Amino acid sequence: MNEPSSSPALHTLQSVFGYERFRPPQQAIVEHLIGGGDALVLMPTGGGKSLCYQIPSIVRPGVGIVVSPLIALMQDQVDALRQNGVSAAFLNSTLGLDEVREVEQQLHRGELDLLYVAPERLMLPRTLDLLERIPVSLFAIDEAHCVSQWGHDFRPEYVQLSVLHQRFAHIPRIALTATADGATRREIIERLALGEARQFISGFDRPNIRYRISESSGNAREALLRFIRNEHEGEAGIVYCLSRKRVEEVAGWLQGKGVTALPYHAGLSAQIRQKNQQRFLREEGVVIVATIAFGMGIDKPDVRFVAHLNLPKSLEAYYQETGRAGRDGQPADAWMLYGLQDVITLKQMQAASDAPEHIKRIEHHKLDAMLGLCELTSCRRQALLRYFDDELAAPCGNCDTCLTPPQTWDATTAARKALSCVHRTGQRFGVTYLVEVLLGKGNERIRRFGHDKVTTFGIGSELNQREWSDLYRQLIARGLLAVDLEGHGGLRLTDASRPVLRGEQPLHLRKATRKISLKGGGRKAGRFAGQGEGQLWEALRQRRQQLADEQGIPAYMIFHDATLAEMVERRPETLAQLSGISGVGEKKRDAYGEAFLEVLQEYLQLEAGGESDTEEETLQLFRLGMNAEAIAAQRGLKPSTIYSHLAAGIARGEAALKEVVALEAHQLEAIRFAIEHHEGGKRLKPVFEALEGEFPYEILRCVQADMARS
Ligand code: ADP
Ligand code: ZN
């Protein structure tokens, strides 16, 4: 499939990584480095930064040194490279002395193409001396924004990296980041002495991410569960919440509903955090419920959704957090619910913070920009990109406002009433109270304050309680009302509200949508909804999981979703055809090709077989490597039905008992004994009871079938 390629870089891309062609900026960057130049690369998450230094490291003589602050991920990065047959290692504080020695030996022997190293380890005189004595192909400084003191990820050790320029002047350096505005970029250049470096700045757009934002109608958890079940059943996702307490509560609740949801926040022990993160990386379909403590440097490519149950503080945070979805370029959702309380809480937190005034002003603007995105009635992607000084000429067609244009209404009169009510009641009450006054609720508190006598009492019958509080949220979001500093949620008028109050400025607002519903009902759960393709997709995923489990690595290191999806679409039948699929390099073709072709062949036979009877269909899926539960889910049948098909298969010698049920020798012994002593299990109930209900009927039936055969 791959044409003989002229350049060594392209050859490496194809034979080692299994990709057909470079993405536009990659090629220029790779060639610039191979030619010995320095580079500063700004590329959005998922853009493909890693290859920009991996390929030159392989092509140039010597070892490529990758500086990264993300120690926890180095093992995974190295494992992923080794899967592709690249010789790589890492050096950080997690290694024992012997392991460090071993890596140093490999360096001396010139065996490594890539070495990942923590910045503090690199700065040790011992390490620098060693590197001066061996050929180094390049230095890559990943997460380069960590040199910036103004960013949230500042690492003091990063500042010392300018040493590289002094001590290794002739070795090319590349600094990479996904999050750098103009100021941070200048800081990177200055602090890392990259004045001579060529800059490669890519646009910010992540076209495969679908942005969706909706007002919470009170039960955010339910809405989240519906979203996961309808659109992302069995897929990996991240749910962000504002507080630890909320994280625990949401994770526990989702678990109760059958979702594999794990909590992650700074209050958990390092051990538990590590464990949950590992499961998220290694298992399929794990949902992490987290505070923002989770995510920095999470390289998992197949995160299919990022959900926010609270409003992020800024568009930078929103963009960075949602950016963790769909790094593999496949469709992914950025889904958010927010409500009045979010707006009030965040405004209060800001008001109460003791940051200096100029910082507070910046934070204030950032929150307003975030709120602006939420209340928008035009394309969200255009607005988001504009904020980052990036232009998108036309509406994107892949955000909720593009797909289901929100309706607007003339809120001028209602807004005047709402603002006036704030004024008449003395600018110190919260939304609930104000709405009660507007609706004319004659309760004790209102009478005590004499607010049943004000002109706005009972003038709001055209809207209900919900609609009024929606309106207040939008007025706050637009800066027409401010939240009090004392933290009681009292509202006061701002200067911006005067023209509206006086009726000089019309106001058009978006109508509440309540549910996040999309045209055509959104995407179906799982990638391939169609019966046949769905089965093949599931079977390929299961095979991938088996292979991953055997090695104790994450499934995506075997193949990414995109690679499996292409297998479903193209149905390769030979190793050569399989090589033509994106993501299948030579090493992986040799290691896993046969295993996947086997699944594909089984499937083709199944398809060719046409209408098979139901028992046969179960057995065929079973041979594809699916277990009874998976087959039941796939076929929409009860597991007990599937077990009866499998039992019949066992009786005919077409399926092996030990592959159908997992029983220990002594358990099997006990069941056999019970069946023998109850008329060979002519009726299973007495057997079941004799075993005190320890084994379900399904298992008894299979064991019985196995005994009947032998
Ligand atoms: P970043 O570090 O910029 O977030 P990665 O380097 O992790 O991005 O790459 C994101 C995904 O894109 C990975 O799954 C990677 O294998 C894939 N990828 C990168 N370059 C290419 C390419 N030229 N063709 C196909 N897939 C690519
Ligand atoms: Zn759009």
Side-chain angles (χ1 to χ4, degrees):
M1 210 41 210
N2 301 338
E3 294 150 28
S5 36
S6 46
S7 92
L10 187 62
H11 177 74
T12 307
L13 178 78
Q14 294 174 341
S15 64
V16 176
F17 295 94
Y19 296 133
E20 194 66 25
R21 60 185 67 87
F22 281 112
R23 293 176 180 161
Q26 286 175 330
Q27 180 148 20
I29 298 165
V30 164
E31 270 160 18
H32 181 68
L33 279 166
I34 292 177
D38 293 343
L40 171 65
V41 171
L42 175 61
M43 213 188 261
T45 310
K49 283 186 286 300
S50 325
L51 289 184
C52 296
Y53 55 80
Q54 287 169 348
I55 289 184
S57 299
I58 296 169
V59 171
R60 281 175 65 90
V63 55
I65 309 295
V66 186
V67 188
S68 164
L70 308 168
I71 291 177
L73 297 172
M74 287 182 183
Q75 179 77 61
D76 275 4
Q77 285 164 326
V78 165
D79 286 346
L81 281 166
R82 288 182 182 158
Q83 285 293 322
N84 281 321
V86 179
S87 158
F90 65 88
L91 274 180
N92 64 33
S93 52
T94 66
L95 294 185
L97 205 58
D98 285 348
E99 291 166 308
V100 172
R101 290 257 157 74
E102 170 58 24
V103 173
E104 288 177 355
Q105 296 288 321
Q106 287 178 302
L107 284 169
H108 276 299
R109 291 195 298 261
E111 289 171 1
L112 295 176
D113 278 325
L114 277 143
L115 176 74
Y116 286 77
V117 54
E120 57 277 7
R121 168 73 59 164
L122 176 64
M123 284 307 134
L124 294 180
R126 177 189 174 86
T127 317
L128 289 172
D129 289 346
L130 190 156
L131 293 183
E132 269 179 341
R133 292 198 305 272
I134 61 169
V136 172
S137 55
L138 59 79
F139 287 101
I141 301 164
D142 206 3
E143 314 287 343
H145 57 277
C146 291
V147 294
S148 164
Q149 262 166 347
W150 305 112
H152 39 293
D153 298 326
F154 177 59
R155 307 274 171 144
E157 323 84 65
Y158 256 63
V159 179
Q160 300 164 19
L161 291 174
S162 60
V163 161
L164 297 178
H165 177 53
Q166 291 142 25
R167 285 184 68 165
F168 302 88
H170 54 288
I171 295 174
R173 291 171 305 143
I174 171 173
L176 310 102
T177 176
T179 53
D181 50 26
T184 314
R185 217 182 300 157
R186 282 189 292 279
E187 230 180 320
I188 295 174
I189 292 170
E190 186 192 333
R191 292 187 175 230
L192 296 180
L194 282 169
E196 309 278 286
R198 194 165 142 199
Q199 297 190 23
F200 298 88
I201 315 290
S202 306
F204 274 91
D205 192 15
R206 301 283 313 279
N208 60 316
I209 297 183
R210 177 175 289 185
Y211 297 100
R212 299 157 66 177
I213 303 177
S214 188
E215 305 83 21
S216 162
S217 55
N219 204 336
R221 287 188 325 198
E222 290 281 356
L224 174 67
L225 181 66
R226 254 196 323 273
F227 165 68
I228 294 176
R229 284 209 176 133
N230 290 340
E231 301 184 43
H232 293 288
E233 182 96 57
E235 297 184 325
I238 307 175
V239 177
Y240 284 111
C241 302
L242 207 55
S243 68
R244 296 172 187 186
K245 190 166 147 262
R246 180 88 171 134
V247 163
E248 293 288 348
E249 180 207 343
V250 171
W253 186 82
L254 285 175
Q255 278 163 18
K257 299 287 174 186
V259 178
T260 315
L262 305 174
Y264 190 103
H265 57 71
L268 294 170
S269 72
Q271 220 175 356
I272 293 187
R273 270 181 303 172
Q274 175 71 9
K275 191 169 133 243
N276 289 353
Q277 173 172 324
Q278 286 297 344
R279 284 191 61 190
F280 177 67
L281 292 175
R282 289 197 181 352
E283 287 173 34
E284 299 226 37
V286 173
V287 174
I288 280 277
V289 185
T291 55
I292 50 169
F294 182 78
M296 162 92 168
I298 290 297
D299 265 338
K300 190 174 166 63
D302 55 355
V303 176
R304 295 270 67 87
F305 68 90
V306 168
H308 281 93
L309 291 185
N310 290 102
L311 202 63
K313 285 201 290 277
S314 66
L315 285 179
E316 283 90 344
Y318 175 73
Y319 180 79
Q320 193 175 43
E321 285 153 22
T322 55
R324 291 169 187 142
R327 293 172 74 121
D328 54 9
Q330 299 287 299
D333 279 302
W335 183 96
M336 179 167 110
L337 278 185
Y338 83 116
L340 174 65
Q341 196 49 49
D342 283 318
V343 182
I344 292 180
T345 309
L346 282 175
K347 292 244 171 194
Q348 279 171 345
M349 273 164 59
Q350 284 192 350
S353 112
D354 42 16
E357 206 45 49
H358 71 281
I359 300 275
K360 271 192 180 179
R361 236 188 344 262
I362 294 172
E363 287 178 348
H364 191 87
H365 280 305
K366 291 193 185 250
L367 178 57
D368 283 348
M370 184 67 232
L371 289 169
L373 183 79
C374 295
E375 302 291 349
L376 206 66
T377 53
S378 55
C379 175
R380 300 211 200 263
R381 189 182 314 271
Q382 279 184 313
L384 193 56
L385 292 177
R386 202 174 309 126
Y387 182 82
F388 293 111
D389 291 327
D390 197 0
E391 276 300 318
L392 188 67
C396 75
N398 193 29
C399 71
D400 55 352
T401 53
C402 279
L403 290 161
T404 322
Q407 297 186 325
T408 58
W409 63 297
D410 183 349
T412 315
T413 310
R416 286 180 72 189
K417 289 181 182 179
L419 294 171
S420 168
C421 193
V422 173
H423 179 62
R424 297 286 165 196
T425 52
Q427 309 203 43
R428 57 203 175 94
F429 291 93
V431 173
T432 313
Y433 185 87
L434 292 165
V435 173
E436 283 174 352
V437 173
L438 283 166
L439 292 175
K441 298 261 165 75
N443 65 35
E444 202 276 322
R445 195 154 166 248
I446 291 180
R447 278 197 297 276
R448 181 150 44 88
F449 285 112
H451 289 153
D452 52 344
K453 305 282 182 335
V454 299
T455 53
T456 52
F457 184 76
I459 60 165
S461 57
E462 73 271 33
L463 300 182
N464 64 24
Q465 200 268 336
R466 235 301 30 105
E467 290 163 331
W468 279 116
S469 69
D470 269 340
L471 176 60
Y472 273 112
R473 188 199 70 242
Q474 296 185 60
L475 294 175
I476 299 167
R478 286 173 174 249
L480 300 178
L481 287 170
V483 182
D484 70 359
L485 303 179
E486 293 83 49
H488 306 304
L491 300 180
R492 56 191 166 70
L493 301 174
T494 63
D495 289 344
S497 69
R498 309 285 165 198
V500 177
L501 197 51
R502 286 196 298 264
E504 292 162 11
Q505 185 185 315
L507 199 61
H508 289 268
L509 297 178
R510 62 183 285 153
K511 267 191 191 161
T513 45
R514 291 290 159 253
K515 276 196 261 34
I516 299 191
S517 61
L518 293 170
K519 257 183 204 157
R523 288 183 289 261
K524 182 72 193 77
R527 180 159 314 230
F528 296 96
Q531 260 292 309
E533 294 201 321
Q535 289 176 0
L536 178 54
W537 169 249
E538 276 311 317
L540 291 169
R541 269 166 53 112
Q542 293 220 359
R543 179 56 53 96
R544 175 173 70 175
Q545 187 69 53
Q546 283 167 7
L547 293 167
D549 288 346
E550 283 165 15
Q551 300 182 65
I553 57 172
Y556 64 77
M557 274 189 202
I558 306 287
F559 285 128
H560 287 175
D561 281 0
T563 304
L564 295 195
E566 211 177 311
M567 288 186 202
V568 173
E569 270 149 27
R570 294 178 47 186
R571 315 269 166 95
E573 290 177 48
T574 63
L575 281 176
Q577 289 171 2
L578 197 71
S579 299
I581 285 182
S582 184
V584 185
E586 284 167 6
K587 176 86 189 302
K588 288 188 179 177
R589 178 199 61 201
D590 294 346
Y592 309 125
E594 293 290 355
F596 284 90
L597 284 180
E598 205 176 279
V599 174
L600 286 154
Q601 271 153 14
E602 285 275 8
Y603 179 77
L604 284 177
Q605 279 164 16
L606 186 152
E607 238 187 4
E611 287 286 281
S612 60
D613 71 315
T614 173
E615 205 175 284
E616 188 50 30
E617 194 172 332
T618 293
L619 282 165
Q620 279 171 332
L621 290 172
F622 180 72
R623 275 177 229 126
L624 282 172
M626 296 174 88
N627 64 24
E629 279 69 31
I631 299 172
Q634 179 71 51
R635 301 196 56 198
L637 296 173
K638 286 209 286 288
S640 57
T641 311
I642 301 299
Y643 274 108
S644 69
H645 295 165
L646 293 173
I650 293 172
R652 288 201 305 273
E654 292 175 16
L657 176 67
K658 67 176 191 318
E659 282 166 14
V660 177
V661 295
L663 287 172
E664 313 226 343
H666 68 92
Q667 293 176 318
L668 188 57
E669 193 70 11
I671 298 173
R672 285 197 173 128
F673 184 82
I675 291 175
E676 269 166 20
H677 288 79
H678 290 88
E679 305 173 60
K682 221 153 81 191
R683 289 190 324 117
L684 280 177
K685 190 151 187 271
V687 178
F688 179 79
E689 282 164 359
L691 292 163
E692 300 181 314
E694 196 185 334
F695 303 97
Y697 283 100
E698 287 83 359
I699 289 186
L700 303 182
R701 203 166 287 127
C702 291
V703 176
Q704 185 198 29
D706 186 55
M707 289 167 71
R709 187 176 62 89
S710 41

